[in-house]
Amino acid sequence: MSGRSPSALAQPLRPPSAGRVVACLGLLLLGAVVGVAGAMLQPAWFPGGLLLALAGEAGLVLGATRALRSRAGGAWAAAGWMLVVVLLTASRPEGDFLFAAGGGSYLFLLGGIAVAVICATLAPGRQPGGGPARLGK
């Protein structure tokens, strides 16, 4: 154990502050904007556009984890990206669609999900009452 008493671990959860809620919603919106921009950019300059779109998403998710100092920031940004990209994959009644059935579109969808998960989970976490989480001594 880390020397903390067991009662310190059983503290009730506090609701997040108003500033943190606004920051999370802002990251959700920013993730949606990056998702739309990436969806428009990736087919335009293939393969450079695809790489640029995925690099933009990676930067957003990593930046969000650093800004909120927790993995939750990256999760909110990734959720906004994923929500918009999944909604953009649906075809419209008029027959219009944004993603063509091609390798680039699938790489953008699956690669974007992989990038979001990797960037959100590799970001440094923090312990409830201390500094950054460390596995070794």
Side-chain angles (χ1 to χ4, degrees), residues 5-104:
S5 65
S7 65
L9 297 176
Q11 297 296 321
L13 293 175
R14 295 177 304 197
S17 66
R20 190 166 180 90
V21 170
V22 168
C24 289
L25 292 177
L27 289 171
L28 183 78
L29 181 64
L30 190 59
V33 169
V34 170
V36 169
M40 299 295 180
L41 181 68
Q42 64 91 14
W45 302 314
F46 188 78
L50 173 66
L51 295 175
L52 189 61
L54 293 177
E57 182 202 2
L60 169 70
V61 174
L62 283 174
T65 57
R66 302 278 171 139
L68 287 186
R69 295 186 193 101
S70 73
R71 293 182 180 127
W76 279 97
W81 182 90
M82 202 171 309
L83 178 70
V84 165
V85 170
V86 167
L87 288 176
L88 290 176
T89 59
S91 62
R92 298 177 37 151
E94 295 88 17
D96 298 336
F97 57 90
L98 188 62
F99 290 105

Side-chain angles (χ1 to χ4, degrees), residues 103-135:
S105 297
Y106 293 124
L107 281 174
F108 178 68
L109 293 170
L110 298 175
I113 292 169
V115 164
V117 169
I118 289 168
C119 291
T121 56
L122 287 182
R126 59 186 174 109
Q127 296 175 1
R134 297 193 58 141
L135 294 177

